Amino acid sequence: LFVVPEGAPGSAGCYLGYPMPALLHRLARASRAARCLVVGEDLGTVAEGFSATMQGANILSYRVLWFERDDDGFRPAAAWPAGASACVTTHDLPPLAGWWEGADILERAALGLLSAPAAAAAQAMRAGDRARLVAAIGLPARRAQAPFDSALAASIHAHVAATPSVLMLVQADDLAGARIGTNLPGTDRERPNWRRRLPVAADALCAAPLARAILRAAAAGRR
């Protein structure tokens, strides 16, 4: 846990350590009692050896498509770990449609978090990422320049569904075709974090054509 003294800058903060073996023992007992899986959020900054410790305790890793890369681009589905919870994106990252269209970059620029040159560079990098993603999921290269649609969303979710990861998550934001993320890390009052409504009513969420295409692809891949 990273803590900062009240009124001090982030540079004055420090990490607090916890009795890891004892906590893992309690967690394992609770998991067995509740007959449930446990997912550990080993994204971003984690202590050295944390992911290996999770694996040894049979805690699922949290694997997100955008981060599953190597020097050659996005990893093949077969290269993902089995002991993981796999997903396309998360609440702290842009929804799939917004990522594809660069809506998150435009938002950061509009909020003054990116300069015009930095935003242009980010859009160029995103174009390269779209090309690498299209190649990874086996679509023609020209698809990287095409608009976002339900067929593309289905293909991307099918890629994640085809991984050996024991659990797959699908975001409500993606089913609804949302462009703007639920949360933008690094912001507080600049935008309505955690207060964004889905553009589709809850009782109609899984009936829209986009949602049906995603769910069909996910179900087929999981089988």
Side-chain angles (χ1 to χ4, degrees):
L1 178 66
F2 189 77
V3 296
V4 181
E6 185 173 0
S11 57
C14 66
Y15 284 99
L16 296 181
Y18 284 82
M20 188 74 162
L23 289 178
L24 286 176
H25 179 69
R26 282 178 167 270
L27 185 62
R29 289 177 59 186
S31 173
R32 288 196 299 269
R35 297 174 57 86
C36 70
L37 299 171
V38 177
V39 181
E41 189 171 351
D42 54 339
L43 298 173
T45 303
V46 296
E48 183 176 356
F50 181 72
S51 294
T53 300
M54 280 178 37
Q55 183 179 3
N58 285 327
I59 297 174
L60 300 183
S61 177
Y62 196 12
R63 297 303 177 104
V64 183
L65 174 61
W66 308 142
F67 303 145
E68 290 302 304
R69 311 188 193 198
D70 53 31
D71 293 339
D72 298 323
F74 288 91
R75 292 190 181 95
W80 289 42
S85 174
C87 60
V88 173
T89 187
T90 78
H91 55 266
D92 282 337
L93 297 167
L96 175 55
W99 182 91
W100 186 264
E101 297 168 355
D104 57 310
I105 299 171
L106 294 176
E107 183 186 23
R108 292 176 67 85
L111 293 173
L113 302 176
L114 287 177
S115 65
Q123 291 286 16
M125 185 177 296
R126 184 64 53 81
D129 285 342
R130 287 197 302 267
R132 284 183 280 273
L133 179 58
V134 162
I137 63 178
L139 294 179
R142 65 179 182 277
R143 190 63 184 84
Q145 307 302 322
F148 180 83
D149 59 20
S150 59
L152 176 67
S155 295
I156 292 172
H157 280 83
H159 175 78
V160 177
T163 67
S165 300
V166 299
L167 187 65
M168 179 189 178
L169 305 178
V170 178
Q171 279 216 139
D173 302 67
D174 289 335
L175 296 178
R179 261 68 179 174
I180 303 299
T182 300
N183 182 50
L184 182 62
T187 63
D188 180 10
R189 297 173 176 83
E190 297 89 341
R191 73 194 297 275
N193 288 329
W194 304 107
R195 288 171 286 153
R196 308 192 71 90
R197 293 181 181 272
L198 291 175
V200 178
D203 58 0
L205 179 63
C206 295
L210 173 62
R212 292 173 66 85
I214 289 173
L215 295 173
R216 280 196 302 267
R222 290 280 89 183
R223 283 196 293 272

